Amino acid sequence: MAAVRPDLEEVFRSAYPRVVGVAARVLGSRDEAEDVAQEVFLTFGRSAVPAGEAIGWLSVAAAHTALNHLRSGRRRMSREEAARDGGAVTPDIADAVVILDERRRVRAALARLPRRQAMALVLRHSGLTYAEVAAALDLSPGSVGTTVRRAESALREELNRHAPSD
């Protein structure tokens, strides 16, 4: 059994909110995001990633892991089944259905984007700076904005391509 990194607790305390935030942006569920964070920190604990590079590494790992969960659809299916079986009562069920459908469409479109674009979009919209996104994805800082804009455009195209017909 490998020894626990001596810096794990410090990194965990400082980076946990960001890791959960990145995963939650992809998954739309804090519970699932916390599961992803646990998986990411377990992997980090076994890694030799320097503590100074931890936040970027953890953010990318959170986005990758969350996208993998999203693409697999397993968790989404179980969440939908659970909601069907014991769904919460909402004040306006029509609004709730529309919101859930829109979120589902956006997440499905995000999952269809090229990995680098999806990662750049998620990381940037999770609050990482251009420099942090650049470091995390091994991009030049000057190309982050272009990558994010292309990802936003590709996401719009995906949403239009799979728009529900009336």
Side-chain angles (χ1 to χ4, degrees), residues 71-130:
R71 286 180 173 160
S72 75
R74 287 177 289 168
R75 292 184 180 246
R76 183 169 35 102
M77 292 298 289
S78 66
R79 184 177 64 238
E80 288 171 354
E81 288 173 12
R84 236 187 339 248
D85 294 341
V89 176
T90 60
D92 186 337
I93 192 68
D95 288 345
V97 168
V98 169
I99 290 168
L100 285 174
D101 186 51
E102 283 298 310
R103 288 179 179 167
R104 207 173 287 131
R105 287 186 55 237
V106 170
R107 288 191 179 95
L110 183 64
R112 289 189 296 269
L113 292 183
R115 176 69 78 168
R116 183 173 286 246
Q117 286 185 357
M119 295 288 292
L121 195 58
V122 168
L123 294 175
R124 182 65 184 135
H125 287 276
S126 295
L128 271 69
T129 65
Y130 278 25

Side-chain angles (χ1 to χ4, degrees), residues 18-29 32-34 36-37 62-63 66 126:
R18 177 169 281 183
V19 170
V20 170
V22 168
R25 284 204 185 276
V26 174
L27 298 168
S29 163
E32 290 182 51
E34 289 176 350
V36 165
S126 295

Side-chain angles (χ1 to χ4, degrees), residues 36-57:
V36 165
Q38 180 180 0
E39 191 175 326
V40 167
F41 277 104
L42 285 172
T43 303
F44 177 77
R46 293 187 299 265
S47 77
V49 175
E53 298 173 13
I55 194 70
W57 188 93

